[in-house]
Amino acid sequence: MSWTRRLLVVLAALAVALLAAPAAQAHEERPVTLPDGTGSVPVYRTGEPDLLVCKSDRADFERRISGFPDALRDRNLKLFERCLKSGYRHLQQAVDAVGRPGMNIAILPGLYEEEPSRPRPAGECARLKAPDSKLGYQILTYAQQKRCPHNQNLVAILGKKNLQIEGTGAERTDVVIDATYQKLNAIRADGSDGIYFRNFTAQRTTFNSLYVLAQDGFVIDDVLTRWNDEYGFLTFASDHGLYKNCESYGNGDSGIYPGSASDINDGYGYEVPRYSIEITGCRSHHNMVGYSGTAGDSVYVHDNEFDHNMGGASMDSAFPGHPGLPQNHARFERNLIHDNNADYYPYVADGTCAKPPVDRGYENGVVCPQISMPPGTGIITAGGNWNLYENNWIYGQQRAAFFLTAVPAFIRGENALSEQTDTSHHNRYADNHLGTDKAGNSRPNRTDVWWDGQGEGNCWQSDTGPSSPRALPTCGSERGAVSGRTDRLVGEPVKLAQLLVCADYNVQARRLPAGCDWYGARGIERIEVQVALAVAVVLALVGGVLWWRRLRGSGLATAATVLGAIGLGLDVAGSTTGLTSSCLPALALLLMGVWWTVTGLVLRGERPWLGWTTVVLGALTLLDAVDKAVFMIPWIPLSPAWVRGLLGVIWVVWAVVAAARHGERGEVSGVDTAAYPAPGPRPSPEPAPGSRPAPEGGAS
């Protein structure tokens, strides 16, 4: 890295550090390492189960299976008779009875609240020494989980290999494992390579319904999770995983969360040997976000539906303690991502989310958002690299189809200078169906792209609709080909200010940042409008005084000042349009650029240094207009907006000094300034012929 680029990295990192929000609370787990990758995706096993789980109420059981097809009802009746004789009444009892790898557990239709697992920890388990997470639960070691499996888990599956657990109902809701908000996790599978879950429902926890941790090989097949404080499905630090035909809703974070998926493709480009986790045929809806993954690396997500959440899908590098950061190599194909316009923040504002979970009304549609999330967004990438988004249907979002922003490395706890700008690179958005559903009906997104501008090698398809910025690097026909390649070290200043304000959210403290439209701010309440208005007022005052004191004799300068005033007004008006595509910001920059350029040319005769500085400021403003509206200028490390803003601060101070200075003014571009005498003491008149001058210090 050259010394000039290193200096720019330092300046960019400092700028981002000043604007970056503190890391939000998220999933915290004991230190784990990623699997070595020697495992494989388990295969579903047919045949008779080794162990059975059922309840003993025959009448209730027969009522539950009465509508089943004949063959399935007969099978369940036979299994029920066997279970009454040699089976178990609770899933945990059957798990504890597993004595070898490769066993199958069948759960018969019923409601399983796992009563023996529910009591609060007592004795030694009540006195475990472990750090507390930011959310208050203890971060236990694996040994502590083994010693006290029900401190946090309704059902704990620890170290069981190649275990298959399957419901025998006609639908996944026929078998329900219910934590009733008494445990952190309904089912935890930890260090249990090769586990296979199929055909049941898990629900109502204070964190996750189904949690898979540190495993090489798992399948989640036709499982429903719902009504959790955080996640429906959480798989963490795992490899060779498959989600298929699943469903999740009513979760305060995401329905599907493949966090810290095995980072097997780090160092590759778009073409990779394999993916660590595959997600297909699932639907995730009415959550804060349908899919999310901090360090969601090497995940293949295809043929799913993410709808009616606040956000459709997100991946990020924003939280420390996740192996595999920064996030890289997710691949999204053929997904339906639509109508993600829910707004659950009012439940935080009105105190609903401050109640105990059991009283919040999750079952009636309440969701308590756990982190800051821009409602109305299709796919959010907050600090990811080498992600592919191709051939998806993305429509009906009231904010943006795609939302891309960088995240500096210190947010994830890494302070090396060379890593501070290592995210938001080589994300490809191509061949997607934007604003159109599968039937071809028009369902436009309010904006197709919102991008902070940072990163190298990002590109978008050429048919994107409204976007911010209006001009985007476009993808070539081959992966890796980019037209208008950019390499910005830091994002646009106003957008970073917006992200700073919006990220200052805390569900526990009921803190919804003022000034952010994510939480309902409108008009002058929004930080973008406030910034634009403040800048306009300062420049209008300084520019007006400078014109009055120094330039009002010049018709050219007067005309330029009028254009500048119009430009400032358009800039404020443009900021109020929010995400909608508008030419106002670029037109505003064009007019302000003309104002500064002409003013500088007129001023240079009287004050050369200030004049030429003003010309440079005008040129930078015109360049910024081109950058935002025509094409992003390639290969420059900072947006013209940053240089323009810094020079603008200097210019304001300099212009104030120049306008305030007393004394005679010379000619300005041929204008006779004698007609506009400078303020100050008037010269004494010439003495009349024959008179004597008055002596100094007294009257004549």
Side-chain angles (χ1 to χ4, degrees), residues 483-534:
S483 174
R485 195 181 190 98
T486 62
D487 183 10
R488 303 283 169 89
L489 295 176
V490 67
E492 290 288 322
V494 173
K495 289 181 176 179
L496 289 181
Q498 179 191 17
L499 292 172
L500 164 68
V501 170
C502 292
D504 188 27
Y505 167 78
N506 188 292
V507 62
Q508 287 78 25
R510 292 178 61 184
R511 185 171 67 241
L512 282 78
C516 178
D517 65 338
W518 301 2
Y519 311 98
R522 296 293 181 265
I524 191 62
E525 299 172 337
R526 291 170 42 222
I527 184 64
E528 311 96 287
V529 180
Q530 293 171 3
V531 169
L533 185 59

Side-chain angles (χ1 to χ4, degrees), residues 259-470:
S260 285
S262 194
D263 192 14
I264 58 175
N265 292 322
D266 185 32
Y268 286 93
Y270 294 118
E271 304 303 323
V272 299
R274 68 175 179 90
Y275 289 93
S276 58
I277 293 178
E278 179 182 3
I279 301 172
T280 184
C282 293
R283 184 184 178 209
S284 187
H285 57 100
H286 296 92
N287 309 285
M288 184 192 77
V289 62
Y291 164 105
S292 72
T294 301
D297 304 332
S298 306
V299 182
Y300 182 30
V301 185
H302 64 96
D303 301 286
N304 304 283
E305 185 171 13
F306 305 120
D307 64 290
H308 295 91
N309 309 283
M310 290 174 64
S314 72
M315 52 228 70
D316 69 83
S317 302
F319 303 100
H322 289 62
L325 291 173
Q327 186 274 333
N328 63 90
H329 289 94
R331 178 181 174 188
F332 277 66
E333 286 186 327
R334 299 187 302 278
N335 300 287
L336 298 180
I337 302 174
H338 64 93
D339 299 294
N340 292 289
N341 302 311
D343 183 5
Y344 297 120
Y345 288 121
Y347 291 123
V348 179
D350 67 13
T352 299
C353 295
K355 299 176 182 178
V358 69
D359 297 325
R360 293 175 187 169
Y362 286 162
E363 299 86 347
N364 299 318
V366 171
V367 170
C368 292
Q370 296 299 305
I371 62 172
S372 55
M373 169 68 57
T377 310
I379 296 180
I380 302 159
T381 308
N385 303 319
W386 294 104
N387 296 300
L388 288 170
Y389 307 104
E390 299 178 327
N391 198 24
N392 301 283
W393 281 262
I394 307 177
Y395 57 87
Q397 268 69 229
Q398 292 176 1
R399 178 173 301 273
F402 298 120
F403 190 102
L404 174 62
T405 180
V407 176
F410 73 85
I411 293 291
R412 63 179 190 262
E414 298 182 24
N415 297 315
L417 181 62
S418 61
E419 296 176 354
Q420 297 309 308
T421 58
D422 65 354
T423 67
S424 197
H425 303 300
H426 303 288
N427 297 288
R428 177 180 171 89
Y429 304 81
D431 302 317
N432 298 286
H433 311 272
L434 301 176
T436 305
D437 65 16
K438 268 196 161 183
N441 300 310
S442 177
R443 294 289 314 283
N445 306 292
R446 184 179 179 189
T447 301
D448 280 347
V449 175
W450 188 100
W451 177 32
D452 69 356
Q454 183 171 338
E456 175 188 3
N458 300 300
C459 70
W460 285 263
Q461 59 203 71
S462 58
D463 64 344
T464 53
S467 65
S468 176
R470 289 174 60 87

